[in-house]
DNA sequence: CCTTAAATGCTAACCGTTAGTGTTACGGTC
DNA sequence: GACCGTAACACTAACGGTTAGCATTTAAGG
């Protein structure tokens, strides 16, 4: 059992962090497109191949902590309180993540992302991965006997919520609107929970008690 | 105004088509990654720069007709019958497009797409563009006085429906499930029209006070 | 016919990314 | 402590998508 504080691992983590910090600094200073991988490597005093041994691509340098994101989402499902409804738990997590993205300190980064097509594209593929992970987590919950399609659909909707709320002028209000829709979509998948159940072609489901 | 059948435009269109056909043939014969742009250019008997004057990227060679896709979606909104409900109109169009994608003749292409991360990523960015166009079309409809967020959300959901149904084992059933959810989400945005209101487990609309 | 501009060709390069090949330094073992 | 396996890193060179710069053809219109 190697202790988690081996010198090797510390050095590796330090190198990775130095690369990420240097890259982000240069990107913000000169612009993402104006900084090459060779620049980052030189400034961080490592070889180009070392950069790519820590990060799969240039874009990955910007989204350094996306694994945290993914894990927080799945844990919002797996570690929620017993019998706690799914959607509110997800909403809490998305709300926290949106707040994190829209914080003032993160603003320059997202401005850079929005300005670069390559970064936007990369973010898109990340979102797809996150949606798949989330769908797996939902499908694995024994309290939620849903089809694969429903799990994947709800997962996509939730990820969409994050993306749309982040870009909205008023993220809080946007989350309200979007999650009202997601609640309704989720409710439409379980026509038999309580006896009310207006099933059939389910044109219009019930409208949730509007808080206004 | 020059007539749309000038010799120049015909030749240009022919060149474009020859490049696209050659590229798709080579991709299917040897695999997407095994064929370089220089191969495509040589086989189509054009210069590399000519390829890029017709197509923005290598991936765009595969999704040659995505503009048709986008146009069909927006027209499903703008050209639908007077007072026809939005969602069923969109569902019809998505259903047709999914059928088109899952046809036997298109199977090898989508197999290639699913096998290539670059193509998948490109398809993702396409979907985002399509969703934005669709959101614009929905927002422009005077019969649908919705907020920007609601329009963008519904647009994303519909695009998600296409993506998920295309990948599902049974696309027809998947579309049924997903559009039942989308109908409910859409209905939840208009609480005042006419409420049949079969309310089940009352979802809480008011979250957002305590983030922790 | 002659001018103009669009379409295409050719060359060379840029940049992200990877393969191949060593070299170093840490970790576990004797 | 000496030893060995291996993870981390360096270096070079190259590949492949993409673009700039400039030359050349060819259709369009006066």
């Amino acid at each position: 059992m190697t202790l988690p504080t081996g010198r090797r691992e510390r050095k590796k983590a330090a190198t990775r962090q130095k690369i990420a910090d240097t890259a982000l600094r240069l990107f913000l200073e000169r612009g993402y497109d104006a900084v090459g991988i060779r620049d980052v490597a030189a400034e961080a005093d490592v070889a180009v191949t070392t950069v790519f041994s820590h990060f799969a691509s240039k874009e990955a340098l910007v989204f350094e902590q996306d694994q945290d994101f993914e894990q927080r989402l799945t844990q919002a499902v797996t570690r929620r309180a017993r019998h706690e409804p799914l959607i509110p738990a997800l909403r809490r997590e998305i709300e926290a993540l949106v707040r994190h993205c829209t914080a003032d300190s993160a603003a320059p980064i997202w401005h850079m992302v929005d300005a670069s097509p390559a970064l936007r594209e990369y973010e898109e593929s990340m979102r797809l991965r996150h949606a798949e992970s989330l769908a797996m987590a939902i499908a694995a919950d024994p309290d939620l006997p849903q089809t694969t399609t429903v799990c994947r659909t709800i997962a996509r909707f939730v990820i969409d919520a994050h993306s749309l709320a982040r870009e909205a002028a008023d993220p809080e209000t946007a989350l309200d609107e979007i999650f009202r829709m997601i609640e309704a979509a989720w409710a439409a998948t379980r026509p038999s929970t309580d006896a009310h159940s207006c099933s059939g072609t389910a044109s219009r489901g019930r409208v949730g008690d509007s808080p206004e």
Side-chain angles (χ1 to χ4, degrees), chain A:
Chain A
M1 294 273 292
T2 315
L3 288 174
T5 54
R7 184 172 303 164
R8 219 172 212 170
E9 301 170 19
R10 264 185 291 118
K11 283 199 173 184
K12 181 174 182 177
T15 300
R16 182 193 154 94
Q17 201 57 41
K18 182 172 187 180
I19 293 172
D21 293 346
T22 304
L24 196 55
R25 180 170 57 80
L26 291 185
F27 290 159
L28 291 176
E29 280 176 10
R30 312 180 197 168
Y32 180 76
D33 290 323
V35 177
I37 287 287
R38 290 162 178 88
D39 300 329
V40 174
E43 186 85 7
D45 199 32
V46 295
V48 172
T49 47
T50 301
V51 174
F52 283 105
S53 76
H54 285 276
F55 300 92
S57 67
K58 184 186 180 185
E59 296 91 54
L61 286 165
V62 176
F63 298 98
E64 186 212 348
Q65 16 152 327
D66 82 297
Q67 299 193 18
D68 296 347
F69 188 102
E70 190 167 334
Q71 198 177 6
R72 288 189 60 172
L73 268 181
T74 55
Q75 288 184 355
V77 175
T78 58
R79 296 189 178 178
R80 72 189 197 279
R82 280 205 168 284
H83 302 114
E84 186 187 0
L86 174 70
I87 306 296
L90 283 171
R91 179 185 166 140
R92 252 189 297 114
E93 196 57 41
I94 291 290
E95 199 161 0
L97 292 168
V98 168
R99 254 197 272 268
H100 189 262
C101 288
T102 56
D104 287 349
S105 62
I109 297 179
W110 287 107
H111 185 270
M112 178 179 75
V113 172
D114 290 337
S116 163
L119 286 176
R120 291 199 69 103
E121 197 159 327
Y122 185 81
E123 192 205 352
E124 272 305 293
S125 69
M126 268 182 35
R127 290 180 49 227
L128 204 63
R129 283 209 323 276
H130 297 163
E132 286 305 310
S133 293
L134 182 54
M136 293 295 180
I138 296 174
D141 191 318
D143 292 347
L144 309 170
Q146 296 287 358
T147 65
T148 303
T149 296
V150 165
C151 294
R152 298 185 75 200
T153 304
I154 283 293
R156 293 258 189 142
F157 288 4
V158 170
I159 299 293
D160 285 336
H162 176 264
S163 165
L164 290 166
R166 179 180 76 72
E167 298 176 2
D170 181 353
E172 302 276 342
T173 306
L175 275 181
D176 272 344
E177 288 183 274
I178 302 171
F179 267 93
R180 194 172 303 132
M181 298 168 77
I182 294 181
E183 276 286 7
W186 177 245
T189 67
R190 22 164 82 177
S192 59
T193 43
D194 290 282
H196 300 272
S197 86
C198 63
S199 57
T201 50
S203 302
R204 64 219 76 198
R206 50 118 197 101
V207 179
D209 50 344
S210 34
E212 286 84 11

